Amino acid sequence: GKEDEEEDDKEEVYIPQYRERKRKFKHDLLVSESDNPIVQMTNAEILASKGKLEKLHAKDQAKRETEAAKSNLEAYIYSSRSKVRQDEDIEKVTTEEQRESHLQSLEDAEDWLYTDEGENANKTTYETKHKGLKDVSDAFIFRAQESSVRPESVKYAKKWIADTRKTIGTWKDKKKHIFANETEPLLQDIADLESFLEEKEKEQEAKEAHEDAAFTSKEVKSELSKRMTKYKKVKSKPAPKVEKPKTNSTGNATGKNSTKKNSKKDKKKGEETTAADEESENTSTPTKEEEDKEGGGRGEEATSSEE
């Protein structure tokens, strides 16, 4: 139909391709000699010029830092105001009066920025105002974070206490080389940590959510870390080494086992000696009766020979 024809016409449209070409133009330069030669600067003039450049650079740097401090203050006002109004966790750990007071401070700082004083203030003034506002906002944010992190740190510490006590109880059978004078101080340290947690939890229960906490998760981690270090040191105590039987030059073991082998050899050798002694006794010098008997026999043999 018509639509197909229109599509065919569009496909047949030719798009020319252009190629960039570069041309070089040459011009003659006219050179003339000046009657006013450049005079070389003296050392004093060079130093003076460097001083001017350094002052200009310092002035420009100060201006950039002042503008950055002003910009940071303005950006913080907007971000902090939005967070205080919308963050549900901050709402849980602050009162309405605390939030409204901080929001008013943010608004006053914003209005001040557009006054003549605010427009022409220096870097230090902007940074001081910024810090004052940030301290209040950070306190809100910190309380909100600690409301969930602190209970988790206490839970972890209590679990470590229970597991460690159970492990130490098995050392009487599994690690007999660790003595009571080493485990008792360790168990006392663990008991002190447990008391610390119980005491701080009671103090925290007496406080309102919008008040500063009785303790922080960082304190729990610090106290726990001390006990963990001592525990690892005692646990890693190596067991005494058991000496293996020494071997002689022939490769045979010396000691209890070799003594048994030697005693068996000596016993066997003794038996062989006894048997040899008995045999030698049987073949020893004949008695007088045996000699007379043998002598008589020899005399009869001599008489017969004479006949």
Side-chain angles (χ1 to χ4, degrees):
K2 292 182 179 180
E3 294 179 357
D4 295 335
E5 291 178 359
E6 289 177 358
E7 289 180 0
D8 293 338
D9 292 340
K10 290 180 180 179
E11 291 177 358
E12 293 177 358
V13 173
Y14 173 72
I15 300 176
Q17 300 294 327
Y18 297 97
R19 186 176 61 181
E20 183 179 357
R21 292 183 179 181
K22 295 182 179 180
R23 296 177 62 187
K24 294 182 179 179
F25 296 91
K26 294 182 179 181
H27 298 279
D28 295 332
L29 298 177
L30 299 176
V31 180
S32 60
E33 186 176 354
S34 174
D35 295 332
N36 299 317
I38 299 174
V39 180
Q40 186 175 358
M41 297 177 66
T42 64
N43 290 334
E45 291 173 336
I46 292 173
L47 292 174
S49 297
K50 285 183 177 180
K52 289 180 180 179
L53 290 174
E54 288 174 357
K55 288 180 180 179
L56 290 172
H57 177 72
K59 188 176 181 180
D60 291 341
Q61 182 66 20
K63 185 178 180 181
R64 285 193 294 268
E65 290 177 357
T66 301
E67 289 175 352
K70 180 181 178 183
S71 178
N72 290 338
L73 172 59
E74 188 175 15
Y76 184 79
I77 290 171
Y78 294 136
S79 64
S80 182
R81 181 162 50 199
S82 176
K83 192 169 187 65
V84 171
R85 286 175 175 172
Q86 299 176 9
D87 196 317
E88 294 180 358
D89 292 334
I90 289 179
E91 186 177 352
K92 293 177 184 178
V93 296
T94 56
T95 62
E96 185 176 355
E97 182 180 356
Q98 288 175 329
R99 294 192 298 275
E100 289 298 329
S101 174
H102 185 51
L103 289 171
Q104 185 60 51
S105 297
L106 293 171
E107 186 174 349
D108 292 343
E110 184 181 17
D111 293 339
W112 173 82
L113 280 174
Y114 297 101
T115 62
D116 292 339
E117 183 184 359
E119 287 286 350
N120 301 311
N122 56 31
K123 173 188 170 184
T124 304
T125 304
Y126 291 131
E127 288 179 342
T128 302
K129 283 189 172 291
H130 188 169
K131 186 179 183 303
L133 296 171
K134 190 174 185 297
D135 288 344
V136 179
S137 295
D138 286 352
F140 292 171
I141 295 169
F142 182 72
R143 284 207 296 270
Q145 292 173 343
E146 283 289 298
S147 63
S148 59
V149 176
R150 186 176 55 252
E152 288 297 324
S153 63
V154 172
K155 182 179 178 181
Y156 178 84
K158 287 182 176 180
K159 184 178 184 302
W160 181 86
I161 290 172
D163 293 343
T164 304
R165 277 178 174 160
K166 186 177 179 181
T167 302
I168 294 174
T170 65
W171 288 357
K172 292 180 180 179
D173 299 324
K174 295 182 177 180
K175 290 182 176 287
K176 295 181 180 180
H177 60 284
I178 298 178
F179 305 110
N181 62 350
E182 295 172 301
T183 56
E184 287 176 0
L186 180 59
L187 289 170
Q188 183 59 49
D189 271 348
I190 293 173
D192 292 342
L193 173 61
E194 191 173 37
S195 300
F196 167 80
L197 294 174
E198 291 175 357
E199 180 184 348
K200 291 299 181 182
E201 281 187 304
K202 287 180 181 179
E203 291 180 14
Q204 185 60 38
E205 288 174 1
K207 288 182 171 290
E208 297 292 338
H210 64 272
E211 295 179 332
D212 291 335
F215 68 107
T216 64
S217 59
K218 186 177 180 180
E219 292 177 61
V220 176
K221 290 177 182 178
S222 176
E223 293 295 325
L224 178 60
S225 178
K226 295 175 186 177
R227 275 73 180 183
M228 292 178 90
T229 302
K230 293 180 180 179
Y231 168 73
K232 289 178 181 178
K233 184 178 180 180
V234 177
K235 183 182 178 183
S236 61
K237 179 184 177 182
K241 294 182 179 180
V242 179
E243 294 185 1
K244 296 181 180 179
K246 297 180 180 179
T247 57
N248 55 25
S249 58
T250 58
N252 296 326
T254 60
K256 189 176 179 181
N257 294 334
S258 62
T259 304
K260 287 183 178 179
K261 291 180 181 179
N262 292 336
S263 62
K264 289 180 180 180
K265 288 180 180 179
D266 293 340
K267 186 177 180 182
K268 187 175 180 182
K269 185 176 180 181
E271 291 174 354
E272 292 176 355
T273 304
T274 303
D277 291 342
E278 290 176 354
E279 185 178 352
S280 64
E281 287 176 359
N282 294 333
T283 58
S284 61
T285 306
T287 62
K288 186 176 181 181
E289 293 177 356
E290 290 174 349
E291 287 178 354
D292 293 340
K293 190 175 180 180
E294 287 179 2
R298 288 174 183 175
E300 291 177 358
E301 289 177 1
T303 305
S304 61
S305 63
E306 289 176 357
E307 293 176 354

